[in-house]
Amino acid sequence: MAARFLKLEDVQEVLNISSQQAYSLVRSGDLPAIQVGGRGIWRVEASELEAYIQRQYDAAKAKATEDA
């Protein structure tokens, strides 16, 4: 069974971005996440990551058609 929640390190790997960029996506609200445990470690639901990726594709497509 695939993990429901991903660590920010997993998000970094999937998106091929830095830890600062992943943290910024979460803090800005662009990538919904929750804080878990006493230390408040961030976790991103896998479905939210997929939805974020789809939104990025949609935005790129809209920009491409706008520029054409």
Side-chain angles (χ1 to χ4, degrees):
M1 183 164 121
R4 178 175 176 181
F5 290 96
L6 306 170
K7 298 177 185 177
L8 283 188
E9 293 84 11
D10 299 326
V11 171
Q12 290 172 233
E13 186 175 324
V14 169
L15 297 177
N16 194 26
I17 59 175
S18 70
S19 59
Q20 243 181 352
Q21 289 170 312
Y23 184 71
S24 179
L25 286 173
V26 167
R27 295 291 291 172
S28 70
D30 288 340
L31 180 59
I34 59 172
Q35 286 186 296
V36 178
R39 295 184 187 176
I41 298 170
W42 289 103
R43 293 289 186 261
V44 176
E45 196 163 1
S47 62
E48 291 292 348
L49 179 57
E50 291 303 320
Y52 170 78
I53 292 169
Q54 187 60 54
R55 287 192 303 275
Q56 296 308 304
Y57 274 118
D58 294 343
K61 184 176 180 180
K63 183 167 178 16
T65 56
E66 177 182 294
D67 292 343

Short mmCIF file of all heavy atoms in Angstrom, two decimals:
data_model
loop_
_atom_site.label_atom_id
_atom_site.label_comp_id
_atom_site.label_asym_id
_atom_site.label_seq_id
_atom_site.Cartn_x
_atom_site.Cartn_y
_atom_site.Cartn_z
N MET A 1 0.84 -1.18 0.00
CA MET A 1 0.00 0.00 0.00
C MET A 1 0.89 1.24 0.00
O MET A 1 1.83 1.34 0.77
CB MET A 1 -0.90 -0.01 1.24
CG MET A 1 -1.85 1.13 1.29
SD MET A 1 -3.16 0.79 2.48
CE MET A 1 -2.94 2.15 3.59
N ALA A 2 0.58 2.17 -0.87
CA ALA A 2 1.35 3.41 -0.96
C ALA A 2 1.06 4.29 0.26
O ALA A 2 -0.04 4.27 0.82
CB ALA A 2 0.99 4.14 -2.23
N ALA A 3 2.05 5.06 0.64
CA ALA A 3 1.90 5.96 1.79
C ALA A 3 0.90 7.06 1.46
O ALA A 3 0.90 7.61 0.35
CB ALA A 3 3.24 6.57 2.15
N ARG A 4 0.04 7.37 2.42
CA ARG A 4 -0.95 8.43 2.21
C ARG A 4 -0.28 9.80 2.33
O ARG A 4 -0.60 10.72 1.60
CB ARG A 4 -2.07 8.30 3.23
CG ARG A 4 -3.10 9.39 3.11
CD ARG A 4 -4.25 9.18 4.05
NE ARG A 4 -5.18 10.30 3.95
CZ ARG A 4 -6.28 10.42 4.66
NH1 ARG A 4 -6.62 9.47 5.50
NH2 ARG A 4 -7.05 11.45 4.52
N PHE A 5 0.63 9.92 3.30
CA PHE A 5 1.30 11.19 3.55
C PHE A 5 2.77 11.10 3.20
O PHE A 5 3.41 10.08 3.43
CB PHE A 5 1.14 11.60 5.02
CG PHE A 5 -0.25 12.00 5.35
CD1 PHE A 5 -1.13 11.09 5.92
CD2 PHE A 5 -0.71 13.28 5.09
CE1 PHE A 5 -2.43 11.45 6.22
CE2 PHE A 5 -2.02 13.65 5.40
CZ PHE A 5 -2.87 12.73 5.97
N LEU A 6 3.30 12.19 2.64
CA LEU A 6 4.68 12.26 2.23
C LEU A 6 5.44 13.27 3.07
O LEU A 6 4.87 14.29 3.49
CB LEU A 6 4.77 12.70 0.76
CG LEU A 6 3.96 11.88 -0.24
CD1 LEU A 6 3.95 12.58 -1.60
CD2 LEU A 6 4.54 10.48 -0.36
N LYS A 7 6.70 13.02 3.32
CA LYS A 7 7.57 13.98 3.97
C LYS A 7 7.93 15.05 2.94
O LYS A 7 7.85 14.81 1.73
CB LYS A 7 8.85 13.31 4.45
CG LYS A 7 8.64 12.22 5.47
CD LYS A 7 9.97 11.58 5.80
CE LYS A 7 9.79 10.40 6.72
NZ LYS A 7 11.07 9.73 7.00
N LEU A 8 8.37 16.20 3.42
CA LEU A 8 8.80 17.24 2.49
C LEU A 8 9.97 16.77 1.64
O LEU A 8 10.11 17.17 0.49
CB LEU A 8 9.16 18.53 3.23
CG LEU A 8 7.99 19.37 3.72
CD1 LEU A 8 8.49 20.71 4.27
CD2 LEU A 8 6.96 19.61 2.65
N GLU A 9 10.79 15.87 2.19
CA GLU A 9 11.90 15.31 1.41
C GLU A 9 11.38 14.53 0.20
O GLU A 9 11.97 14.58 -0.87
CB GLU A 9 12.77 14.40 2.28
CG GLU A 9 13.53 15.12 3.38
CD GLU A 9 12.70 15.36 4.64
OE1 GLU A 9 11.59 14.78 4.77
OE2 GLU A 9 13.15 16.15 5.49
N ASP A 10 10.26 13.84 0.39
CA ASP A 10 9.64 13.10 -0.72
C ASP A 10 9.11 14.07 -1.78
O ASP A 10 9.25 13.82 -2.98
CB ASP A 10 8.51 12.21 -0.21
CG ASP A 10 8.98 11.17 0.79
OD1 ASP A 10 10.12 10.69 0.66
OD2 ASP A 10 8.20 10.85 1.71
N VAL A 11 8.51 15.16 -1.32
CA VAL A 11 8.00 16.18 -2.23
C VAL A 11 9.15 16.77 -3.04
O VAL A 11 9.05 16.94 -4.26
CB VAL A 11 7.25 17.29 -1.46
CG1 VAL A 11 6.89 18.46 -2.37
CG2 VAL A 11 6.00 16.73 -0.79
N GLN A 12 10.25 17.06 -2.37
CA GLN A 12 11.44 17.58 -3.04
C GLN A 12 11.89 16.64 -4.16
O GLN A 12 12.22 17.09 -5.26
CB GLN A 12 12.61 17.71 -2.06
CG GLN A 12 12.50 18.77 -1.03
CD GLN A 12 13.61 18.63 -0.02
OE1 GLN A 12 13.35 18.57 1.17
NE2 GLN A 12 14.85 18.57 -0.47
N GLU A 13 11.91 15.36 -3.85
CA GLU A 13 12.37 14.38 -4.82
C GLU A 13 11.42 14.30 -6.02
O GLU A 13 11.86 14.29 -7.17
CB GLU A 13 12.49 13.01 -4.16
CG GLU A 13 13.09 11.96 -5.06
CD GLU A 13 13.30 10.64 -4.34
OE1 GLU A 13 13.64 10.65 -3.15
OE2 GLU A 13 13.12 9.61 -5.01
N VAL A 14 10.13 14.27 -5.76
CA VAL A 14 9.15 14.16 -6.85
C VAL A 14 9.21 15.38 -7.76
O VAL A 14 9.20 15.26 -8.98
CB VAL A 14 7.71 13.99 -6.28
CG1 VAL A 14 6.67 14.13 -7.37
CG2 VAL A 14 7.58 12.64 -5.58
N LEU A 15 9.31 16.57 -7.16
CA LEU A 15 9.30 17.80 -7.94
C LEU A 15 10.70 18.25 -8.37
O LEU A 15 10.82 19.21 -9.13
CB LEU A 15 8.63 18.93 -7.14
CG LEU A 15 7.16 18.73 -6.79
CD1 LEU A 15 6.65 19.89 -5.94
CD2 LEU A 15 6.32 18.56 -8.04
N ASN A 16 11.72 17.57 -7.85
CA ASN A 16 13.11 17.91 -8.16
C ASN A 16 13.40 19.37 -7.79
O ASN A 16 13.85 20.17 -8.62
CB ASN A 16 13.44 17.63 -9.62
CG ASN A 16 14.93 17.64 -9.88
OD1 ASN A 16 15.72 17.38 -8.98
ND2 ASN A 16 15.32 17.94 -11.10
N ILE A 17 13.08 19.72 -6.52
CA ILE A 17 13.29 21.08 -6.02
C ILE A 17 14.08 21.02 -4.72
O ILE A 17 14.26 19.95 -4.14
CB ILE A 17 11.94 21.80 -5.80
CG1 ILE A 17 11.06 21.05 -4.79
CG2 ILE A 17 11.21 22.02 -7.11
CD1 ILE A 17 9.77 21.77 -4.42
N SER A 18 14.50 22.17 -4.25
CA SER A 18 15.26 22.25 -3.00
C SER A 18 14.33 22.17 -1.79
O SER A 18 13.10 22.35 -1.92
CB SER A 18 16.05 23.55 -2.94
OG SER A 18 15.17 24.65 -2.77
N SER A 19 14.91 21.96 -0.62
CA SER A 19 14.11 21.91 0.61
C SER A 19 13.47 23.27 0.87
O SER A 19 12.33 23.34 1.32
CB SER A 19 14.97 21.48 1.80
OG SER A 19 16.04 22.37 1.99
N GLN A 20 14.17 24.35 0.56
CA GLN A 20 13.61 25.68 0.74
C GLN A 20 12.41 25.91 -0.15
O GLN A 20 11.41 26.49 0.27
CB GLN A 20 14.67 26.75 0.43
CG GLN A 20 15.02 27.60 1.60
CD GLN A 20 16.06 28.65 1.23
OE1 GLN A 20 16.64 28.65 0.14
NE2 GLN A 20 16.30 29.54 2.15
N GLN A 21 12.48 25.44 -1.38
CA GLN A 21 11.36 25.60 -2.31
C GLN A 21 10.15 24.79 -1.85
O GLN A 21 9.01 25.27 -1.91
CB GLN A 21 11.77 25.18 -3.72
CG GLN A 21 12.74 26.14 -4.38
CD GLN A 21 13.31 25.58 -5.66
OE1 GLN A 21 13.77 24.44 -5.71
NE2 GLN A 21 13.30 26.38 -6.71
N ALA A 22 10.37 23.57 -1.37
CA ALA A 22 9.27 22.74 -0.87
C ALA A 22 8.61 23.40 0.34
O ALA A 22 7.38 23.47 0.42
CB ALA A 22 9.78 21.35 -0.51
N TYR A 23 9.42 23.88 1.25
CA TYR A 23 8.90 24.54 2.45
C TYR A 23 8.12 25.79 2.06
O TYR A 23 7.05 26.06 2.61
CB TYR A 23 10.06 24.89 3.39
CG TYR A 23 9.63 25.48 4.70
CD1 TYR A 23 9.00 24.71 5.67
CD2 TYR A 23 9.84 26.82 4.98
CE1 TYR A 23 8.61 25.24 6.88
CE2 TYR A 23 9.45 27.38 6.18
CZ TYR A 23 8.84 26.59 7.13
OH TYR A 23 8.44 27.13 8.31
N SER A 24 8.61 26.53 1.08
CA SER A 24 7.93 27.74 0.63
C SER A 24 6.57 27.43 0.02
O SER A 24 5.60 28.16 0.25
CB SER A 24 8.81 28.47 -0.40
OG SER A 24 8.17 29.62 -0.87
N LEU A 25 6.47 26.34 -0.75
CA LEU A 25 5.19 25.93 -1.33
C LEU A 25 4.17 25.65 -0.23
O LEU A 25 3.00 26.01 -0.35
CB LEU A 25 5.36 24.70 -2.21
CG LEU A 25 6.03 24.89 -3.56
CD1 LEU A 25 6.27 23.53 -4.22
CD2 LEU A 25 5.18 25.77 -4.45
N VAL A 26 4.62 25.00 0.83
CA VAL A 26 3.73 24.65 1.94
C VAL A 26 3.34 25.90 2.72
O VAL A 26 2.17 26.13 3.01
CB VAL A 26 4.40 23.60 2.85
CG1 VAL A 26 3.66 23.45 4.16
CG2 VAL A 26 4.49 22.26 2.13
N ARG A 27 4.32 26.73 3.06
CA ARG A 27 4.05 27.92 3.86
C ARG A 27 3.14 28.92 3.13
O ARG A 27 2.34 29.60 3.76
CB ARG A 27 5.35 28.61 4.27
CG ARG A 27 6.23 27.78 5.18
CD ARG A 27 5.66 27.60 6.54
NE ARG A 27 5.69 28.87 7.24
CZ ARG A 27 5.13 29.09 8.40
NH1 ARG A 27 4.51 28.12 9.02
NH2 ARG A 27 5.19 30.26 8.97
N SER A 28 3.26 28.98 1.81
CA SER A 28 2.43 29.91 1.03
C SER A 28 1.00 29.40 0.85
O SER A 28 0.12 30.16 0.48
CB SER A 28 3.06 30.15 -0.34
OG SER A 28 2.95 28.98 -1.14
N GLY A 29 0.81 28.10 1.08
CA GLY A 29 -0.52 27.52 0.89
C GLY A 29 -0.73 26.96 -0.50
O GLY A 29 -1.79 26.41 -0.79
N ASP A 30 0.25 27.13 -1.38
CA ASP A 30 0.13 26.57 -2.74
C ASP A 30 0.04 25.06 -2.71
O ASP A 30 -0.62 24.46 -3.56
CB ASP A 30 1.33 26.99 -3.60
CG ASP A 30 1.30 28.45 -3.98
OD1 ASP A 30 0.21 29.06 -3.92
OD2 ASP A 30 2.36 28.98 -4.33
N LEU A 31 0.73 24.45 -1.76
CA LEU A 31 0.71 23.00 -1.59
C LEU A 31 0.17 22.71 -0.18
O LEU A 31 0.89 22.88 0.80
CB LEU A 31 2.11 22.41 -1.76
CG LEU A 31 2.24 20.91 -1.61
CD1 LEU A 31 1.36 20.17 -2.62
CD2 LEU A 31 3.69 20.49 -1.79
N PRO A 32 -1.10 22.33 -0.08
CA PRO A 32 -1.68 22.07 1.25
C PRO A 32 -0.93 20.97 2.00
O PRO A 32 -0.54 19.96 1.41
CB PRO A 32 -3.11 21.61 0.93
CG PRO A 32 -3.40 22.19 -0.42
CD PRO A 32 -2.08 22.16 -1.15
N ALA A 33 -0.71 21.21 3.29
CA ALA A 33 0.00 20.26 4.14
C ALA A 33 -0.49 20.39 5.57
O ALA A 33 -1.18 21.36 5.91
CB ALA A 33 1.50 20.52 4.06
N ILE A 34 -0.15 19.42 6.38
CA ILE A 34 -0.49 19.46 7.80
C ILE A 34 0.79 19.28 8.61
O ILE A 34 1.78 18.75 8.12
CB ILE A 34 -1.51 18.36 8.18
CG1 ILE A 34 -0.96 16.97 7.87
CG2 ILE A 34 -2.85 18.61 7.48
CD1 ILE A 34 -1.84 15.84 8.39
N GLN A 35 0.73 19.74 9.86
CA GLN A 35 1.85 19.52 10.77
C GLN A 35 1.46 18.39 11.72
O GLN A 35 0.36 18.37 12.26
CB GLN A 35 2.18 20.78 11.55
CG GLN A 35 2.90 21.80 10.69
CD GLN A 35 3.36 22.98 11.49
OE1 GLN A 35 2.54 23.70 12.03
NE2 GLN A 35 4.65 23.17 11.56
N VAL A 36 2.39 17.45 11.88
CA VAL A 36 2.12 16.25 12.66
C VAL A 36 3.14 16.14 13.78
O VAL A 36 4.33 16.42 13.58
CB VAL A 36 2.19 14.99 11.77
CG1 VAL A 36 1.96 13.74 12.58
CG2 VAL A 36 1.21 15.09 10.62
N GLY A 37 2.67 15.71 14.94
CA GLY A 37 3.58 15.43 16.05
C GLY A 37 3.99 16.66 16.83
O GLY A 37 3.66 17.79 16.49
N GLY A 38 4.74 16.41 17.90
CA GLY A 38 5.18 17.47 18.81
C GLY A 38 6.11 18.47 18.16
O GLY A 38 6.13 19.64 18.54
N ARG A 39 6.87 18.05 17.20
CA ARG A 39 7.80 18.96 16.53
C ARG A 39 7.15 19.69 15.37
O ARG A 39 7.77 20.55 14.75
CB ARG A 39 9.00 18.19 16.00
CG ARG A 39 9.85 17.59 17.07
CD ARG A 39 11.05 16.95 16.45
NE ARG A 39 11.83 16.22 17.43
CZ ARG A 39 12.88 15.51 17.14
NH1 ARG A 39 13.28 15.41 15.89
NH2 ARG A 39 13.53 14.88 18.09
N GLY A 40 5.92 19.34 15.03
CA GLY A 40 5.22 20.00 13.94
C GLY A 40 5.85 19.72 12.58
O GLY A 40 6.01 20.61 11.76
N ILE A 41 6.17 18.46 12.34
CA ILE A 41 6.78 18.07 11.07
C ILE A 41 5.72 18.10 9.98
O ILE A 41 4.62 17.59 10.15
CB ILE A 41 7.40 16.66 11.20
CG1 ILE A 41 8.51 16.69 12.25
CG2 ILE A 41 7.94 16.18 9.87
CD1 ILE A 41 9.03 15.32 12.62
N TRP A 42 6.06 18.71 8.85
CA TRP A 42 5.11 18.85 7.75
C TRP A 42 4.93 17.54 7.01
O TRP A 42 5.89 16.82 6.74
CB TRP A 42 5.59 19.92 6.76
CG TRP A 42 5.48 21.30 7.29
CD1 TRP A 42 6.50 22.08 7.77
CD2 TRP A 42 4.31 22.10 7.41
NE1 TRP A 42 6.02 23.28 8.18
CE2 TRP A 42 4.67 23.33 7.96
CE3 TRP A 42 2.97 21.88 7.10
CZ2 TRP A 42 3.75 24.34 8.21
CZ3 TRP A 42 2.05 22.89 7.35
CH2 TRP A 42 2.44 24.09 7.89
N ARG A 43 3.67 17.27 6.64
CA ARG A 43 3.32 16.11 5.81
C ARG A 43 2.35 16.58 4.73
O ARG A 43 1.45 17.38 4.98
CB ARG A 43 2.65 15.00 6.63
CG ARG A 43 3.55 14.35 7.66
CD ARG A 43 4.60 13.49 6.97
NE ARG A 43 5.39 12.74 7.93
CZ ARG A 43 6.59 13.09 8.37
NH1 ARG A 43 7.14 14.21 7.93
NH2 ARG A 43 7.24 12.35 9.23
N VAL A 44 2.57 16.06 3.53
CA VAL A 44 1.73 16.40 2.38
C VAL A 44 1.00 15.14 1.94
O VAL A 44 1.63 14.10 1.72
CB VAL A 44 2.59 16.95 1.22
CG1 VAL A 44 1.73 17.22 -0.01
CG2 VAL A 44 3.34 18.20 1.65
N GLU A 45 -0.30 15.23 1.83
CA GLU A 45 -1.07 14.09 1.35
C GLU A 45 -0.73 13.86 -0.13
O GLU A 45 -0.64 14.81 -0.92
CB GLU A 45 -2.56 14.35 1.54
CG GLU A 45 -3.38 13.10 1.43
CD GLU A 45 -4.77 13.26 2.01
OE1 GLU A 45 -5.13 14.34 2.49
OE2 GLU A 45 -5.51 12.26 1.96
N ALA A 46 -0.52 12.62 -0.50
CA ALA A 46 -0.12 12.28 -1.87
C ALA A 46 -1.11 12.85 -2.89
O ALA A 46 -0.71 13.36 -3.94
CB ALA A 46 0.02 10.77 -2.02
N SER A 47 -2.39 12.79 -2.58
CA SER A 47 -3.40 13.32 -3.51
C SER A 47 -3.28 14.83 -3.67
O SER A 47 -3.55 15.37 -4.75
CB SER A 47 -4.81 12.94 -3.05
OG SER A 47 -5.09 13.51 -1.78
N GLU A 48 -2.86 15.54 -2.62
CA GLU A 48 -2.67 16.99 -2.70
C GLU A 48 -1.48 17.32 -3.59
O GLU A 48 -1.49 18.29 -4.33
CB GLU A 48 -2.47 17.60 -1.31
CG GLU A 48 -3.70 17.59 -0.45
CD GLU A 48 -4.81 18.51 -0.95
OE1 GLU A 48 -4.58 19.34 -1.85
OE2 GLU A 48 -5.93 18.39 -0.44
N LEU A 49 -0.43 16.49 -3.52
CA LEU A 49 0.72 16.70 -4.38
C LEU A 49 0.33 16.49 -5.85
O LEU A 49 0.69 17.29 -6.72
CB LEU A 49 1.87 15.77 -4.00
CG LEU A 49 3.13 15.88 -4.86
CD1 LEU A 49 3.69 17.30 -4.87
CD2 LEU A 49 4.18 14.89 -4.38
N GLU A 50 -0.44 15.45 -6.12
CA GLU A 50 -0.90 15.20 -7.48
C GLU A 50 -1.79 16.34 -7.98
O GLU A 50 -1.71 16.75 -9.13
CB GLU A 50 -1.63 13.86 -7.57
CG GLU A 50 -0.72 12.66 -7.39
CD GLU A 50 0.43 12.62 -8.40
OE1 GLU A 50 0.22 12.94 -9.59
OE2 GLU A 50 1.54 12.29 -7.99
N ALA A 51 -2.65 16.87 -7.10
CA ALA A 51 -3.53 17.99 -7.47
C ALA A 51 -2.69 19.24 -7.76
O ALA A 51 -2.98 19.98 -8.70
CB ALA A 51 -4.54 18.26 -6.36
N TYR A 52 -1.65 19.48 -6.97
CA TYR A 52 -0.75 20.60 -7.20
C TYR A 52 -0.08 20.48 -8.57
O TYR A 52 -0.04 21.45 -9.33
CB TYR A 52 0.31 20.69 -6.10
CG TYR A 52 1.39 21.68 -6.41
CD1 TYR A 52 1.18 23.03 -6.24
CD2 TYR A 52 2.62 21.26 -6.92
CE1 TYR A 52 2.16 23.96 -6.56
CE2 TYR A 52 3.61 22.16 -7.23
CZ TYR A 52 3.37 23.52 -7.05
OH TYR A 52 4.35 24.42 -7.39
N ILE A 53 0.41 19.30 -8.88
CA ILE A 53 1.06 19.07 -10.17
C ILE A 53 0.07 19.33 -11.31
O ILE A 53 0.41 19.99 -12.29
CB ILE A 53 1.65 17.64 -10.24
CG1 ILE A 53 2.81 17.51 -9.27
CG2 ILE A 53 2.08 17.30 -11.67
CD1 ILE A 53 3.29 16.08 -9.05
N GLN A 54 -1.15 18.86 -11.18
CA GLN A 54 -2.17 19.08 -12.21
C GLN A 54 -2.46 20.57 -12.37
O GLN A 54 -2.61 21.06 -13.49
CB GLN A 54 -3.45 18.31 -11.89
CG GLN A 54 -4.47 18.37 -13.01
CD GLN A 54 -3.93 17.79 -14.32
OE1 GLN A 54 -3.47 16.67 -14.35
NE2 GLN A 54 -4.00 18.58 -15.39
N ARG A 55 -2.54 21.31 -11.25
CA ARG A 55 -2.77 22.76 -11.34
C ARG A 55 -1.63 23.44 -12.10
O ARG A 55 -1.86 24.38 -12.86
CB ARG A 55 -2.91 23.37 -9.94
CG ARG A 55 -4.21 23.05 -9.25
CD ARG A 55 -4.45 23.90 -8.02
NE ARG A 55 -3.40 23.83 -7.01
CZ ARG A 55 -3.31 22.91 -6.06
NH1 ARG A 55 -4.22 21.93 -6.00
NH2 ARG A 55 -2.34 22.94 -5.18
N GLN A 56 -0.42 22.97 -11.89
CA GLN A 56 0.73 23.56 -12.59
C GLN A 56 0.65 23.28 -14.09
O GLN A 56 0.95 24.16 -14.91
CB GLN A 56 2.04 23.05 -12.01
CG GLN A 56 2.27 23.44 -10.56
CD GLN A 56 2.11 24.93 -10.34
OE1 GLN A 56 2.78 25.74 -10.97
NE2 GLN A 56 1.20 25.30 -9.45
N TYR A 57 0.24 22.07 -14.45
CA TYR A 57 0.05 21.75 -15.87
C TYR A 57 -1.05 22.63 -16.47
O TYR A 57 -0.90 23.15 -17.58
CB TYR A 57 -0.33 20.27 -16.06
CG TYR A 57 0.86 19.35 -16.16
CD1 TYR A 57 1.05 18.35 -15.22
CD2 TYR A 57 1.77 19.46 -17.20
CE1 TYR A 57 2.13 17.48 -15.30
CE2 TYR A 57 2.85 18.59 -17.30
CZ TYR A 57 3.03 17.61 -16.34
OH TYR A 57 4.11 16.76 -16.44
N ASP A 58 -2.15 22.79 -15.75
CA ASP A 58 -3.26 23.61 -16.23
C ASP A 58 -2.83 25.06 -16.42
O ASP A 58 -3.19 25.69 -17.42
CB ASP A 58 -4.46 23.53 -15.28
CG ASP A 58 -5.08 22.14 -15.23
OD1 ASP A 58 -4.82 21.32 -16.14
OD2 ASP A 58 -5.83 21.87 -14.26
N ALA A 59 -2.06 25.59 -15.47
CA ALA A 59 -1.58 26.96 -15.57
C ALA A 59 -0.64 27.13 -16.75
O ALA A 59 -0.69 28.14 -17.47
CB ALA A 59 -0.90 27.37 -14.27
N ALA A 60 0.23 26.15 -16.96
CA ALA A 60 1.16 26.21 -18.09
C ALA A 60 0.41 26.17 -19.42
O ALA A 60 0.75 26.90 -20.35
CB ALA A 60 2.17 25.07 -18.00
N LYS A 61 -0.61 25.33 -19.47
CA LYS A 61 -1.40 25.21 -20.70
C LYS A 61 -2.15 26.52 -20.98
O LYS A 61 -2.19 26.99 -22.12
CB LYS A 61 -2.39 24.05 -20.56
CG LYS A 61 -3.19 23.78 -21.81
CD LYS A 61 -4.07 22.57 -21.63
CE LYS A 61 -4.88 22.29 -22.88
NZ LYS A 61 -5.74 21.12 -22.73
N ALA A 62 -2.73 27.12 -19.94
CA ALA A 62 -3.45 28.38 -20.10
C ALA A 62 -2.51 29.48 -20.56
O ALA A 62 -2.86 30.28 -21.43
CB ALA A 62 -4.12 28.77 -18.78
N LYS A 63 -1.31 29.51 -20.01
CA LYS A 63 -0.32 30.52 -20.41
C LYS A 63 0.10 30.31 -21.85
O LYS A 63 0.24 31.27 -22.61
CB LYS A 63 0.88 30.49 -19.49
CG LYS A 63 1.91 31.56 -19.80
CD LYS A 63 2.90 31.69 -18.71
CE LYS A 63 3.99 32.71 -18.96
NZ LYS A 63 3.83 33.69 -19.98
N ALA A 64 0.28 29.06 -22.27
CA ALA A 64 0.70 28.76 -23.62
C ALA A 64 -0.36 29.18 -24.63
O ALA A 64 -0.04 29.74 -25.68
CB ALA A 64 1.01 27.27 -23.78
N THR A 65 -1.63 28.95 -24.32
CA THR A 65 -2.70 29.33 -25.24
C THR A 65 -2.90 30.85 -25.23
O THR A 65 -3.27 31.43 -26.24
CB THR A 65 -4.02 28.63 -24.90
OG1 THR A 65 -4.38 28.90 -23.55
CG2 THR A 65 -3.91 27.14 -25.11
N GLU A 66 -2.61 31.48 -24.10
CA GLU A 66 -2.72 32.94 -23.97
C GLU A 66 -1.62 33.61 -24.81
O GLU A 66 -1.87 34.63 -25.45
CB GLU A 66 -2.57 33.33 -22.50
CG GLU A 66 -2.58 34.78 -22.21
CD GLU A 66 -2.38 35.02 -20.73
OE1 GLU A 66 -3.25 34.66 -19.95
OE2 GLU A 66 -1.31 35.56 -20.37
N ASP A 67 -0.44 33.03 -24.80
CA ASP A 67 0.69 33.59 -25.54
C ASP A 67 0.60 33.33 -27.04
O ASP A 67 1.26 34.00 -27.83
CB ASP A 67 2.01 33.02 -25.01
CG ASP A 67 2.34 33.49 -23.60
OD1 ASP A 67 1.73 34.48 -23.16
OD2 ASP A 67 3.20 32.88 -22.94
N ALA A 68 -0.21 32.36 -27.43
CA ALA A 68 -0.29 31.99 -28.86
C ALA A 68 -1.12 32.94 -29.68
O ALA A 68 -1.79 33.78 -29.34
CB ALA A 68 -0.87 30.58 -28.99
#
